Amino acid sequence: MESVVVAGIDCGTNSIRLKVARVDGHGMHEVVPRVLRVIRLGQDVDKTHRFADEALERARAAVAEFAGILAGHRVDGIRFVATSATRDAENREEFESMVEELLGVRPEVIPGTEEADLSFLGATSVVERDLAAPYVVVDLGGGSTEMVLGGDGVDAPATQVQAAFSMDVGSVRMTERHLLSDPPADAEIEAAVRDVDAHIDEAFAHVPAGRARTIIGVSGTVTTMTALAMGLKEYDHRLVDGVRVPLRDAYAVNDRFLRMTREERRTYRTIHPGRIDVVGGGAVVWSRVLARISEAAREDHGTPIDSFVASEHGLLDGIVLDFGRRLLAGR
């Protein structure tokens, strides 16, 4: 069977990820397991609209590391995708030129709609058959959060995007904009909730999320909070991937870690050190998105959604799978 080996890089507001996989007619087969580095590229971008010098240096170190990894593998192509922070940065040319110098490819700064489509492709490429359609996939990043609704499996395939919207809310953006105290003050939390809800209102004008029967959550914030809800002492992606979490458990753990000090969070080895200071901002977004979708489902078909499914597969998987399929189609 014909196949290609491709590398995908997802550079977000908080983290950068690399995955190398062989893509064929049956899907993806890992060559290099996912590599993640927290670089906080979006540091202060919400306020200054520029990449900070130290953030660019952290990005350079990670990209140089990825170049070293890729030097040991023969790949048919590399796709480097940059998202929310890079869309907002006035000095993104400096970042793009640095990546091209180190990797030989220029970052593609994709719009939120394409980011949403690729996240949905990655998340639904491995869904269990017993999940009720339509699915709504939520990719909660550092600077933006994508909400994507698929088909009902009857009139349209469950893995086909029906509607999508990218909201300018995320773990880093909400932390830097609102959660300035340690721990956050009630007034700061209330302001963050109002901000998130306003963006969800806008998303719901484009995405009929109430039609959903299953919520699939992807990204580091979602999987971290899932691991904490499960009581894991250390993060283990094998245990987190595909687990179903009751919403009441998600709300409880989100609120608890939102109201902790950073030093208290630091005692939990489940949380990546690079997420310690922004996980509260992510928790606000995640709780509000879950609550609003559940309520919209109750209003739409009489039954609220009472759980979500966590997935380790999202934008990065979508980048690799889509790129590999396009290379195969061009042969």
Side-chain angles (χ1 to χ4, degrees), residues 12-129:
T13 300
N14 198 44
S15 61
I16 185 170
R17 299 170 171 87
L18 164 72
K19 182 172 183 171
V20 182
R22 183 176 298 279
V23 178
D24 58 27
H26 294 304
M28 288 183 298
H29 315 275
E30 278 191 348
V31 174
V32 175
R34 183 181 66 180
V35 181
L36 177 148
R37 297 291 178 261
V38 176
I39 60 171
R40 192 65 57 80
L41 181 61
Q43 173 190 333
D44 294 330
V45 167
D46 188 61
K47 178 173 60 179
T48 66
H49 304 292
R50 294 181 59 82
F51 289 134
D53 291 343
E54 56 267 37
L56 288 171
E57 282 305 309
R58 292 192 295 269
R60 174 181 286 276
V63 173
E65 179 188 0
F66 289 0
I69 293 170
L70 290 172
H73 298 275
R74 183 185 295 273
V75 299
D76 295 296
I78 303 170
R79 189 180 188 199
F80 189 117
V81 167
T83 56
S84 178
T86 311
R87 288 194 291 264
D88 294 346
E90 294 170 352
N91 60 336
R92 70 191 228 188
E93 170 69 26
E94 184 178 350
F95 167 68
E96 293 170 2
S97 297
M98 176 267 289
V99 171
E100 188 172 24
E101 173 192 335
L102 292 172
L103 280 178
V105 297
R106 200 160 182 85
E108 295 179 52
V109 185
I110 63 173
T113 49
E114 184 177 357
E115 183 178 354
D117 288 351
L118 290 172
S119 294
F120 189 83
L121 172 64
T124 59
S125 66
V126 293
V127 294
E128 298 294 333
R129 294 180 183 272

Side-chain angles (χ1 to χ4, degrees), residues 8-324:
I9 297 172
D10 161 23
C11 185
T13 300
N14 198 44
S15 61
I16 185 170
R17 299 170 171 87
L18 164 72
K19 182 172 183 171
V20 182
R22 183 176 298 279
V23 178
D24 58 27
H26 294 304
M28 288 183 298
H29 315 275
E30 278 191 348
V31 174
V32 175
R34 183 181 66 180
V35 181
L36 177 148
R37 297 291 178 261
V38 176
I39 60 171
R40 192 65 57 80
L41 181 61
Q43 173 190 333
D44 294 330
V45 167
D46 188 61
K47 178 173 60 179
T48 66
H49 304 292
R50 294 181 59 82
F51 289 134
D53 291 343
E54 56 267 37
L56 288 171
E57 282 305 309
R58 292 192 295 269
R60 174 181 286 276
V63 173
E65 179 188 0
F66 289 0
I69 293 170
L70 290 172
H73 298 275
R74 183 185 295 273
V75 299
D76 295 296
I78 303 170
R79 189 180 188 199
F80 189 117
V81 167
T83 56
S84 178
T86 311
R87 288 194 291 264
D88 294 346
E90 294 170 352
N91 60 336
R92 70 191 228 188
E93 170 69 26
E94 184 178 350
F95 167 68
E96 293 170 2
S97 297
M98 176 267 289
V99 171
E100 188 172 24
E101 173 192 335
L102 292 172
L103 280 178
V105 297
R106 200 160 182 85
E108 295 179 52
V109 185
I110 63 173
T113 49
E114 184 177 357
E115 183 178 354
D117 288 351
L118 290 172
S119 294
F120 189 83
L121 172 64
T124 59
S125 66
V126 293
V127 294
E128 298 294 333
R129 294 180 183 272
D130 63 346
L131 293 183
Y135 319 131
V136 61
V137 171
V138 179
D139 185 346
L140 200 172
S144 67
T145 296
E146 283 63 50
M147 186 183 300
V148 198
L149 181 71
D152 61 5
V154 179
D155 295 323
T159 54
Q160 180 179 310
V161 172
Q162 299 297 296
F165 190 78
S166 180
M167 301 179 283
D168 282 337
V169 293
S171 61
V172 175
R173 201 183 292 268
M174 289 300 96
T175 299
E176 292 184 350
R177 187 178 292 178
H178 299 293
L179 308 180
L180 305 179
S181 304
D182 185 26
D186 287 345
E188 294 173 340
I189 294 171
E190 290 165 6
V193 167
R194 287 194 299 271
D195 195 354
V196 173
D197 275 345
H199 283 85
I200 295 174
D201 288 341
E202 187 179 5
F204 279 3
H206 297 82
V207 180
R211 297 179 188 171
R213 298 297 190 273
T214 300
I215 302 171
I216 301 174
V218 303
S219 81
T221 290
V222 171
T223 53
T224 296
M225 301 314 293
T226 297
L228 292 168
M230 295 169 68
L232 299 184
K233 301 303 182 186
E234 294 189 358
Y235 189 84
D236 187 334
H237 68 91
R238 296 165 299 181
L239 298 178
V240 171
D241 190 31
V243 74
R244 187 181 289 275
V245 180
L247 295 196
R248 64 179 180 276
D249 294 349
Y251 299 147
V253 78
N254 288 346
D255 189 64
R256 185 156 64 94
F257 281 85
L258 165 62
R259 296 177 185 279
M260 282 184 183
T261 66
R262 293 176 181 176
E263 284 307 309
E264 288 172 324
R265 293 181 197 145
R266 209 177 301 279
T267 63
Y268 288 81
R269 296 174 63 182
T270 322
I271 308 175
H272 189 289
R275 300 190 193 283
I276 294 291
D277 58 333
V278 297
V279 77
V284 171
V285 178
W286 189 220
S287 283
R288 293 310 301 154
V289 168
L290 289 173
R292 294 288 302 276
I293 293 175
S294 177
E295 177 60 19
R298 186 190 66 78
E299 292 175 357
D300 187 272
H301 50 82
T303 305
I305 298 174
D306 62 3
S307 64
F308 74 89
V309 176
S311 176
E312 283 279 345
H313 307 275
L315 178 58
L316 182 60
D317 295 75
I319 292 167
V320 171
L321 188 56
D322 173 72
F323 185 40

